[in-house]
Amino acid sequence: MTVIQTIEANGLTFGYLEAGRGPLALCLHGFPDSAHTWRHLLPALADAGYHAVAPFQRGYAPTSVPADGAYQTGALAADANALHEAFGGDADA
């Protein structure tokens, strides 16, 4: 889980941490936190049968900085929807 992987979503390359398999549990951090905020919860979610994923939000290294400079709520929501799709989330996510 400490290995940072990458995935393409919403035109950005997102770094993320993950643990487990099962329905998607997308753990989003706020400012000024990072994906590491979820490091203790990811294994617990995995033990509970989830595919727990904590992406680094746009602009937080190692995730790409958006070319348009958009960090508004709408952009973050679009990222969350795109990540849900990229990770194969379904109605059980």
Side-chain angles (χ1 to χ4, degrees):
M1 186 211 35
T2 57
V3 174
I4 298 173
Q5 300 178 70
T6 60
I7 193 167
E8 300 292 321
N10 201 27
L12 298 172
T13 301
F14 286 85
Y16 66 93
L17 303 173
E18 73 176 335
R21 294 288 171 254
L24 180 64
L26 195 57
C27 302
L28 304 175
H29 68 82
F31 176 82
D33 296 323
S34 77
H36 294 292
T37 300
W38 302 104
R39 69 189 175 281
H40 301 296
L41 185 60
L42 293 178
L45 287 168
D47 289 345
Y50 290 93
H51 177 203
V53 177
F56 291 82
Q57 300 281 28
R58 56 175 49 218
Y60 286 78
T63 294
S64 305
V65 173
D68 62 4
Y71 291 92
Q72 293 84 356
T73 305
L76 297 173
D79 290 347
N81 287 333
L83 287 164
H84 177 269
E85 183 177 333
F87 282 108
D90 58 17
D92 290 334

